[in-house]
Amino acid sequence: MSSEWLARLRSQQGNTLLLMPAAVLVLFILAAVAVDAAVLFLGQRRVADLAASVAQDAVAAVDEASFYEDDLALDQGRGQQRGAMLSATLPQDDALLDPSCGVTTGQGHDGPTAEVHCTARVRFIFAPAVAGAERMREVEARETAVGRQR
């Protein structure tokens, strides 16, 4: 072999080109993780917003018989109906599945309270491509609203 050929083999030119496919693969994996984390965060945020809406609507559902009394009470049935309606009219997509809310009403020291617990399942986009990875995760949110009397 010639000395010019040996010098060319020992040079470092082109070695980074071999690392480029590995770098692209790592970038794709990181992008997939970021997208799935964003989908999970968005699902959690949507469930939290649903819980807040149901809690505010449930605390507004005053029992008509107790309206003119000293102790204001909430109609739990109307709060449950409103929660079911808001869950049913939530925009449907493949990322957020089976949203549901439970409403409990009571009397606190500040006034009537409505406590809401909502759950839903979030479907990941890229995680199902990895063997053994979670395909869905359940998210939940709790919210409490207090109706104040004057």
Side-chain angles (χ1 to χ4, degrees):
M1 283 198 191
S2 70
S3 62
E4 182 181 316
W5 181 251
L6 287 174
R8 189 176 281 186
L9 285 176
R10 288 185 187 133
S11 73
Q12 298 295 317
Q13 294 176 346
N15 287 345
T16 57
L17 190 59
L18 295 174
L19 295 175
M20 192 61 189
V24 169
L25 182 63
V26 167
L27 285 177
F28 277 136
I29 291 171
L30 290 175
V33 168
V35 168
D36 280 346
V39 167
L40 182 64
F41 177 76
L42 180 62
Q44 176 66 44
R45 191 70 243 148
R46 288 175 66 186
V47 170
D49 290 344
L50 176 65
S53 296
V54 171
Q56 290 297 318
D57 287 352
V59 84
V62 176
D63 183 26
E64 294 173 8
S66 70
F67 184 72
Y68 293 105
E69 297 176 6
D70 290 335
D71 287 333
L72 196 62
L74 300 180
D75 186 358
Q76 185 167 349
R78 284 178 44 203
Q80 289 280 15
Q81 288 174 350
R82 184 67 177 158
M85 189 194 72
L86 286 173
S87 297
T89 59
L90 197 65
Q92 298 295 317
D93 56 20
D94 288 339
L96 191 71
L97 303 170
D98 305 327
S100 63
C101 294
V103 178
T104 56
T105 59
Q107 193 68 24
H109 64 278
D110 287 339
T113 62
E115 294 182 12
V116 177
H117 177 245
C118 293
T119 60
R121 292 182 301 140
V122 175
R123 179 181 293 157
F124 293 122
I125 296 173
F126 292 107
V130 178
E134 280 185 288
R135 296 182 187 283
M136 291 187 200
R137 183 171 296 168
E138 187 167 308
V139 293
E140 64 180 40
R142 294 182 187 272
E143 187 68 37
T144 302
V146 177
R148 304 221 173 176
Q149 291 179 276
R150 293 190 184 242

